[in-house]
Amino acid sequence: MNSDLLALLSDPEYHLNEVIQEDAEAESDRKNILSFEKVSEDGEVVGYIKAWHDSEDYAGFVHFDTQGNIVDWKAFDKSPSSKKPGSIKPR
């Protein structure tokens, strides 16, 4: 998973707990798709995040609230004019 993408998901008021899928198919996709619970400082789950990284040039995430409604959804590709290798920009 692209560390630049995960840095965009960080929030000092919350932390992300990775949700590990147990089935074999999920294990094969694990390098490309990660799931997280967004947890408050008091331990309450306040949302969920699915992040993906399909190739060197495409990544993104979907942030859901606890009822499954989409809060935020972003897709990114690498910026060809970027000064920093591997940086990403919104599509």
Side-chain angles (χ1 to χ4, degrees):
M1 181 58 61
N2 186 317
S3 61
D4 289 340
L5 176 62
L6 294 179
L8 291 173
L9 301 175
S10 66
D11 183 334
E13 296 182 30
Y14 302 98
H15 64 274
L16 300 178
N17 290 337
E18 186 174 351
V19 176
I20 305 297
Q21 302 294 326
E22 297 295 327
D23 64 6
E25 184 177 328
E27 185 62 31
S28 67
D29 291 335
R30 184 158 159 65
K31 292 180 185 175
N32 296 333
I33 301 171
L34 295 176
S35 299
F36 301 93
E37 293 178 331
K38 187 173 182 179
V39 182
S40 67
E41 290 181 2
D42 63 358
E44 179 182 358
V45 175
V46 296
Y48 304 93
I49 295 173
K50 294 268 189 189
W52 69 89
H53 188 205
D54 288 336
S55 69
E56 289 297 316
D57 295 331
Y58 185 67
F61 67 88
V62 180
H63 175 192
F64 302 92
D65 65 15
T66 56
Q67 288 77 41
N69 300 306
I70 296 173
V71 174
D72 194 8
W73 182 330
K74 293 199 173 34
F76 304 90
D77 61 7
K78 287 186 179 181
S79 172
S81 62
S82 173
K83 296 177 185 173
K84 179 183 172 191
S87 65
I88 53 181
K89 67 175 184 176
R91 278 196 167 179

